[in-house]
């Protein structure tokens, strides 16, 4: 029972002092995080990061629940059915969670939850083996235009982040997305291996995935898909090179659609405070993530925009379901 | 010998009382989760990660490494005693290990598994200490056609397991079982295009059918139902424990070579990205059967069939740490979690970490040697305790196996669809057992099918449809030749031999 005398008194006080009390009454003391992915996955790491930062803020009752499978949609569907009205429950999502329902018929999509805040992420980068014949990004695109099939583009799962990213580059170069010889891989470790043994001409992914190899002079960066140059990456942005593409692998959180604005705002405030905390900044720094915080409204607009662009590309690739 | 000096410094770090205690906690926890099917080391480390924030990194990693190694030891226990492999790597152990347990030799099976794990774990750790960077450098030269050929070779070795060890049934049954496994392997997202196959709108099927679900369904559920159906009437019968718990002179002499061979197969294959633990255990089992003077005992309780695969499994676990430590490449889910744990401390594993934070890396490596010793000390006396499980009256034991299997499979992904699949596969396994269809080819088909498909299509995508890549790559060409020999030799020799009785190959 949580209804103690103290909460009864608080409720009374809140009743008489509604104007000042609501923030108090809605203080979040625990959080239940659903993760659409197994332990060690990108979204899992984001959830564990949130857990760690909240603990540092004195919120110890944080539960992380891994629900892998179905491109993240099993987690979303479980969240929708079991967390109705739960004011302490959030579900983590990322770019893949938006793209997956576009390529496969799923009973739920991200439209079934209420996106609350984008938190962190990494801009996509393009790299080649250090001793590759490919001199720079311009050279890469020249080779691609001359003989599209000869360039093997390595990335993560089909129909997901890198597949869409490369397809957008192809379109700007005046080619069609289908001409990209995309080589999918089940995890980033294998993407790096494909770059190192040269079976992929070029690979895409987060900077952090390649950083160790770049420092060891085994891989070489060609370009980054960030709006401005990244401080710890010695490579031009795609914008500078005339390719207007900004592409990030981001992570955010959503709440259940049944929540009223007051409850949703309490959680939104929690995350707004979280992203400013010193411990969160340390986590971002340690893991090489960028602060990509967006509050509710712009976040939802961002998701709508991502969905529109991805649908267009995936339709051209022949991967989108109608 | 600079490496030895660094290793000595590592031991100085790992042997402090604090770190020894973390190592003991890790291996104990690891053994416990290894015994429970379902919960793996990846999940355990992920849960513990946020709780270790206050700990010095080296202590946290010593504990994580203990969990990782401990889980490999624990996995064999349920395979041998309950025929319930908790992970794909301990499936081959279940075949002969459980047969041994049924014949009253469970203690010897557990002992050869524990000592073999120690020997192979130590050899693997020595390999990790001295050969990791070199080996990873070589492993990186392998490309998709080579992986394809390695997997085809593994599939070819399945031909030696097509006949049913308990007699009855024909080779055709074995082939049918293999193709059923290959069919199950096509369920889920197409690895090349991301389109759903045979998912029937069930989102839980999009990631394919988990190997563990099928292995537990066929081994544990199917077999248990069969046992209950055939001798369930005898209420108080139990598995007899016979003679000494200790391995006999013969057990030792039949075990030590498989341990060494298993370790030599397991470590390098574990070290190559996407090598995994299934392929080395299968190759080790086949090799032992080929080399054995008594191949007819395989499937009925041959101790080599436990010693070899169990050693290969543990050595591959050490091998899998090589790409992580040497290059910072996570090639398994446990390695991915460990990488995340490094990042939690702002560290990135790889060649630079060996220089910038050598006491951490070498302390971790030293702790692997120590953890292995703890695991042997912890597990050998436990053999006597574990084996008493078999003294339970059979109805209790069988009931317990069904509950434990279902619980374990549910905890794998926390979804009920897996339970439905488990029980359907379990029923299929029951029928297969009744009519005499071998189950191992089915599980191997499920494991190898998707891997072969992905590497084949990746090879052809990169070569732009040129099939000659499989013979122009020397490694690939060599492995494919060996695979061909595997399949062709029995056929040729059966053609050459004068046939004393007609159709002998068909009825066996």
């Amino acid at each position: 029972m949580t209804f103690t005398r103290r909460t009864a008194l608080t409720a009374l006080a809140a009743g008489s002092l509604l104007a000042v009390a609501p923030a108090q009454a809605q203080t979040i003391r625990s959080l239940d995080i659903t993760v659409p992915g197994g332990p060690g996955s990108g979204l899992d790491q984001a959830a564990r990061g949130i857990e760690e930062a909240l603990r540092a803020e004195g919120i110890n009752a944080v539960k992380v629940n891994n629900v892998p499978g179905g491109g993240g949609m099993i987690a979303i569907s479980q969240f929708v059915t079991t967390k109705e009205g739960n004011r302490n429950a959030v579900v983590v999502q990322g770019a893949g969670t938006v793209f997956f329902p576009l390529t496969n018929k799923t009973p739920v999509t991200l439209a079934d939850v209420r996106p609350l805040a984008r938190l962190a992420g990494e801009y996509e980068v393009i790299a080649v083996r250090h001793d590759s014949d490919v001199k720079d990004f311009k050279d890469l695109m020249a080779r691609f235009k001359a003989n599209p099939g000869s360039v093997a583009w390595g990335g993560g799962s089909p129909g997901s982040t890198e597949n869409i990213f490369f397809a957008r580059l192809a379109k700007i170069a005046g080619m069609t997305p289908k001409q990209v010889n995309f080589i999918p891989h089940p995890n980033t470790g294998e993407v790096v291996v494909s770059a190192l043994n040269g079976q992929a001409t070029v690979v895409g992914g987060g900077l952090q995935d390649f950083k160790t190899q770049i420092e060891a002079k085994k891989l070489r960066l060609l370009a980054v898909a960030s709006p401005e140059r990244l401080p710890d990456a010695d490579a031009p942005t795609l914008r500078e090179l005339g390719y207007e593409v900004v592409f990030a692998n981001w992570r955010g959180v959503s709440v259940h659609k049944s929540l009223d604005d007051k409850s949703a705002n309490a959680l939104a405030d929690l995350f707004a405070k979280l992203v400013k905390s010193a411990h969160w900044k340390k986590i971002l720094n340690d893991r090489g993530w960028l602060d990509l915080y967006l509050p509710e409204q712009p976040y939802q607009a961002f998701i709508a925009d991502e969905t529109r662009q991805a649908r267009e590309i995936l339709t051209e690739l022949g991967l989108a379901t109608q | 010998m600079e490496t030895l000096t660094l290793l000595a410094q590592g031991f100085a770090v790992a042997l402090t009382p604090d770190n020894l205690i973390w190592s003991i906690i890790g291996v104990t926890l690891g053994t416990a989760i290894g015994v429970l099917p379902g919960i793996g080391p990846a999940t355990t480390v992920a849960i513990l990660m946020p709780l270790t924030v206050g700990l010095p990194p080296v202590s946290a990693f010593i504990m994580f490494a203990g969990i990782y190694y401990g889980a490999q030891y624990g996995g064999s226990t349920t395979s041998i005693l309950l025929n319930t492999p908790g992970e794909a790597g301990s499936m081959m152990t279940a075949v002969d290990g459980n047969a041994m347990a049924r014949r009253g030799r469970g203690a010897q099976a557990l002992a050869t598994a524990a000592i073999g794990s120690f020997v192979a774990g130590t050899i693997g750790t020595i390999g990790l200490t001295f050969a990791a960077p070199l080996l990873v450098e070589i492993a990186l030269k392998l490309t998709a056609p080579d992986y394809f050929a390695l997997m085809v070779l593994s599939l070819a070795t399945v031909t030696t397991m097509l006949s049913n060890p308990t007699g009855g049934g024909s080779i055709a049954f074995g082939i049918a079982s293999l193709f059923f496994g290959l069919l199950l392997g096509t369920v889920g997202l197409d690895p090349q295009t991301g389109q759903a196959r045979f998912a029937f709108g069930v989102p839980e099927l999009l990631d394919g059918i988990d190997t563990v679900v099928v292995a537990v369904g066929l081994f544990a559920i199917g077999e248990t139902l069969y046992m209950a159906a055939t001798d369930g009437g005898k209420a108080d019968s139990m598995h007899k424990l016979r003679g000494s718990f200790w391995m006999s002179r013969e057990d030792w002499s039949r075990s030590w070579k498989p341990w060494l061979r298993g370790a030599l197969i397991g470590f390098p294959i574990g070290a190559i990205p996407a090598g995994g633990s299934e392929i080395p255990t299968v190759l080790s089992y086949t090799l032992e059967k080929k080399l054995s003077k008594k191949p007819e005992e395989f499937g009925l309780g041959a101790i080599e069939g436990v010693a070899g695969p169990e050693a290969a499994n543990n050595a591959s676990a050490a091998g899998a740490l090589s790409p992580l430590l040497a290059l910072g490449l996570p090639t398994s889910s446990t390695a991915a979690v460990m990488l995340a744990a490094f990042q939690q401390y702002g560290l990135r594993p790889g060649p630079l970490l060996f220089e910038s934070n050598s006491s951490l890396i070498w302390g971790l490596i030293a702790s692997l040697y120590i953890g292995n010793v703890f695991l042997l000390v912890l597990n050998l006396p436990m053999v006597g305790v574990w084996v008493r499980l078999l003294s339970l009256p059979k109805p209790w034991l069988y009931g317990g196996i069904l509950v434990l299997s279902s619980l374990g499979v549910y905890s794998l992904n926390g979804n009920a669809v897996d339970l439905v699949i488990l029980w359907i596969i379990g029923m299929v396994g029951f029928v297969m057992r009744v009519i005499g269809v071998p189950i191992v080819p089915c599980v191997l088909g499920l494991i190898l099918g998707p891997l072969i498909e992905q590497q084949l299509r990746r090879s052809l995508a990169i070569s732009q449809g040129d099939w000659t890549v499989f013979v122009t790559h020397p490694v690939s060409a060599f492995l494919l030749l060996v695979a061909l020999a595997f399949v062709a030799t029995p056929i040729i020799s059966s053609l050459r031999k004068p046939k004393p009785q007609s159709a002998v190959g068909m009825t066996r």
Side-chain angles (χ1 to χ4, degrees), chain A residues 271-291:
Chain A
F271 284 103
K273 254 199 285 172
L274 178 88
V275 294
K276 290 201 194 83
S277 77
H279 203 89
W280 178 253
K281 291 198 169 130
K282 180 183 171 296
I283 291 173
L284 293 183
N285 186 41
D286 285 349
R287 307 199 183 175
W289 296 341
L290 297 167
D291 183 357

Side-chain angles (χ1 to χ4, degrees), chain A residues 39-41 44-45 48 51-52 55 66-71 73-74 78 100 103-107 147-152 158-159 181-190 192-194 196-197 199-200 208 211-213 215-216 218 279 282 286-287 318-321, chain B residues 42-43 46-47 49-51 53 137 139-145 147 189-196 201 203-207 273-274 327-333 336-337 339-340 343-352 412-415 454-455 458 461-462 464:
Chain A
S41 60
D44 178 64
Q45 291 183 35
R48 308 278 169 192
E51 177 182 5
E52 198 189 315
R55 277 177 200 282
N66 291 94
V67 186
M73 290 308 124
I74 296 174
Q78 209 179 79
F100 189 82
T103 55
N104 276 281
K105 278 207 182 72
T106 52
N147 184 358
S150 70
V151 177
N181 186 4
F182 182 65
I183 313 293
H185 296 79
N187 57 52
T188 51
E190 284 193 36
V192 179
V193 171
S194 275
L196 291 178
N197 66 25
Q199 63 179 0
Q208 206 62 21
K211 209 165 179 190
T212 311
Q213 318 306 330
E215 283 170 5
K218 287 178 189 291
H279 203 89
K282 180 183 171 296
D286 285 349
R287 307 199 183 175
L319 291 176
T321 55
Chain B
T43 316
I47 292 170
M49 234 166 61
L51 307 177
V53 175
E137 208 59 45
L140 280 178
K141 301 244 186 304
L142 300 177
T143 53
Y147 282 108
L189 293 180
D190 174 345
Q192 201 68 25
T193 64
Q195 301 295 296
E204 282 83 357
L205 285 179
L206 289 176
D207 287 341
L327 280 184
L329 291 178
T331 49
S332 67
S333 61
V337 176
L339 183 66
Q343 286 169 351
Q344 179 183 323
Y345 290 103
L347 304 167
R348 261 180 300 117
L352 298 177
L412 213 56
N413 296 314
N415 76 53
Q454 181 166 32
Q455 298 297 347
R458 189 181 288 172
I462 291 165
Q464 299 183 69

Side-chain angles (χ1 to χ4, degrees), chain B residues 302-440:
Chain B
I303 197 164
E304 297 94 329
V306 181
E310 201 43 38
N313 187 21
N314 269 57
S316 79
L321 287 179
S322 310
L324 177 68
L325 292 181
L327 280 184
L329 291 178
T331 49
S332 67
S333 61
T334 311
V337 176
M338 295 273 266
L339 183 66
F342 274 106
Q343 286 169 351
Q344 179 183 323
Y345 290 103
L347 304 167
R348 261 180 300 117
L352 298 177
L353 194 61
F354 273 87
E355 286 160 29
S356 66
N357 217 327
S358 76
S359 75
L360 169 75
I361 292 286
W362 288 103
L364 173 65
I365 293 176
S367 84
L368 294 174
Y369 289 96
I370 299 165
N372 247 320
V373 176
F374 280 140
L375 279 165
L376 187 68
V377 173
L378 183 77
N379 278 276
L380 266 190
M382 288 291 281
V383 167
V385 181
W386 282 124
V387 84
R388 272 175 220 288
L389 260 184
L390 296 176
S391 335
L392 284 171
K394 278 189 183 171
W396 295 21
L397 184 63
Y398 293 159
I401 292 175
L402 296 183
V403 171
L404 188 74
S405 310
S406 305
L407 204 68
V409 162
Y410 182 73
S411 64
L412 213 56
N413 296 314
N415 76 53
V417 175
D418 279 348
L419 282 178
V420 176
I421 300 171
L422 173 75
W423 279 88
I424 293 174
I425 297 283
M427 298 296 171
V428 172
F430 171 67
V431 174
M432 285 166 80
R433 186 75 173 79
V434 170
I435 59 177
V437 179
I439 54 177
V440 174

Side-chain angles (χ1 to χ4, degrees), chain A residues 165-211:
Chain A
F165 174 49
F166 295 150
R168 284 178 64 181
L169 294 179
K171 280 187 77 173
I172 295 173
M175 312 288 278
T176 65
K178 273 200 166 175
Q179 284 172 305
V180 175
N181 186 4
F182 182 65
I183 313 293
H185 296 79
N187 57 52
T188 51
E190 284 193 36
V191 176
V192 179
V193 171
S194 275
L196 291 178
N197 66 25
Q199 63 179 0
T201 320
V202 55
V203 290
L207 179 59
Q208 206 62 21
D209 301 333
F210 304 138
K211 209 165 179 190

Side-chain angles (χ1 to χ4, degrees), chain B residues 19-251:
Chain B
N19 287 339
L20 278 178
I21 288 171
W22 286 115
S23 180
I24 293 175
I25 294 175
V27 297
T28 314
L29 210 60
T31 309
I33 57 147
V35 170
L36 296 168
I39 308 166
T43 316
T44 313
V45 173
I47 292 170
L48 289 175
M49 234 166 61
L51 307 177
T52 54
V53 175
L55 225 56
V58 68
S59 304
F61 283 108
I62 284 175
M63 179 171 71
F64 293 159
I67 292 172
Y68 180 56
Y69 267 29
Q72 314 298 328
Y73 272 72
S76 61
T77 310
T78 44
S79 288
I80 291 169
L81 296 177
L82 307 177
N83 208 19
T84 310
E87 35 138 19
S90 51
M91 185 184 68
M92 295 315 296
T93 311
V95 180
D96 277 84
N98 191 250
M100 283 180 75
R102 284 215 207 109
R103 295 167 70 201
R105 289 177 32 82
Q108 284 79 1
L110 287 173
T112 198
I115 302 169
S117 295
F118 170 74
V119 172
T122 305
I123 293 175
T125 311
I126 293 172
L128 183 64
T129 313
F130 296 99
L134 182 72
L135 190 68
V136 171
E137 208 59 45
I138 296 168
L140 280 178
K141 301 244 186 304
L142 300 177
T143 53
D146 308 318
Y147 282 108
F148 169 75
L150 175 67
M151 284 146 193
V152 169
L153 172 63
S154 311
L155 194 67
T157 65
V158 178
T159 51
T160 61
M161 285 176 251
L162 287 180
S163 60
N164 198 340
T166 49
S170 66
I171 296 283
F173 276 10
I175 293 172
S177 173
L178 175 65
F179 276 81
F180 179 57
L182 290 171
L183 175 69
L184 288 180
T186 59
V187 173
L189 293 180
D190 174 345
Q192 201 68 25
T193 64
Q195 301 295 296
R197 298 188 296 206
F198 301 117
F200 308 107
V202 180
E204 282 83 357
L205 285 179
L206 289 176
D207 287 341
I209 299 177
D210 202 303
T211 317
V212 173
V213 177
V214 175
V216 172
L218 291 180
F219 279 87
I221 307 276
E223 186 75 19
T224 306
L225 292 180
Y226 177 78
M227 287 302 188
T230 49
D231 66 6
K234 296 171 245 160
D236 278 318
S237 68
M238 52 186 79
H239 293 293
K240 290 264 175 350
L241 300 177
R242 284 199 212 109
S244 155
F245 281 0
W246 195 232
M247 288 166 66
S248 69
R249 184 181 286 274
E250 194 203 346
D251 289 335

Side-chain angles (χ1 to χ4, degrees), chain A residues 72-302:
Chain A
M73 290 308 124
I74 296 174
I76 302 284
S77 121
Q78 209 179 79
F79 184 82
V80 170
T81 47
T82 63
K83 306 293 182 198
E84 189 169 349
N86 191 329
R87 284 180 281 176
N88 296 83
V90 294
V91 59
V92 182
Q93 67 277 156
T97 330
V98 172
F99 302 148
F100 189 82
L102 300 174
T103 55
N104 276 281
K105 278 207 182 72
T106 52
V108 290
T109 68
L110 209 53
D112 294 291
V113 294
R114 176 173 171 179
L116 194 68
R118 189 177 73 177
L119 297 176
E122 278 188 276
Y123 287 107
E124 286 280 314
V125 303
I126 302 179
V128 293
R129 194 159 86 166
H130 201 268
D131 60 0
S132 163
D133 298 339
V134 177
K135 284 199 294 287
D136 51 23
F137 183 76
K138 287 241 157 76
D139 185 28
L140 173 76
M141 295 316 278
R143 282 162 191 260
F144 172 58
K145 281 188 208 171
N147 184 358
S150 70
V151 177
W153 304 74
S157 35
S160 187
T161 327
E162 283 84 30
N163 203 347
I164 291 171
F165 174 49
F166 295 150
R168 284 178 64 181
L169 294 179
K171 280 187 77 173
I172 295 173
M175 312 288 278
T176 65
K178 273 200 166 175
Q179 284 172 305
V180 175
N181 186 4
F182 182 65
I183 313 293
H185 296 79
N187 57 52
T188 51
E190 284 193 36
V191 176
V192 179
V193 171
S194 275
L196 291 178
N197 66 25
Q199 63 179 0
T201 320
V202 55
V203 290
L207 179 59
Q208 206 62 21
D209 301 333
F210 304 138
K211 209 165 179 190
T212 311
Q213 318 306 330
I214 293 168
E215 283 170 5
K217 295 224 180 289
K218 287 178 189 291
L219 290 184
R220 175 156 54 88
L221 271 186
L222 292 187
V224 295
S226 51
E228 273 126 43
R229 285 198 180 211
L230 296 174
D232 47 356
D234 179 27
T237 65
L238 287 169
R239 257 184 193 173
E240 290 172 44
L241 297 161
Y243 284 72
E244 185 56 43
V245 177
V246 172
F247 205 88
N249 199 349
W250 48 270
R251 324 245 180 260
V253 289
S254 296
V255 295
H256 203 279
K257 272 200 158 171
S258 63
L259 291 199
D260 55 28
D261 282 341
K262 206 166 86 180
S263 312
N265 288 342
L267 279 166
D269 289 346
L270 178 79
F271 284 103
K273 254 199 285 172
L274 178 88
V275 294
K276 290 201 194 83
S277 77
H279 203 89
W280 178 253
K281 291 198 169 130
K282 180 183 171 296
I283 291 173
L284 293 183
N285 186 41
D286 285 349
R287 307 199 183 175
W289 296 341
L290 297 167
D291 183 357
L292 296 183
Y293 176 70
L294 277 183
E296 184 169 354
Q297 295 308 329
Y299 181 39
Q300 288 175 359
F302 166 77

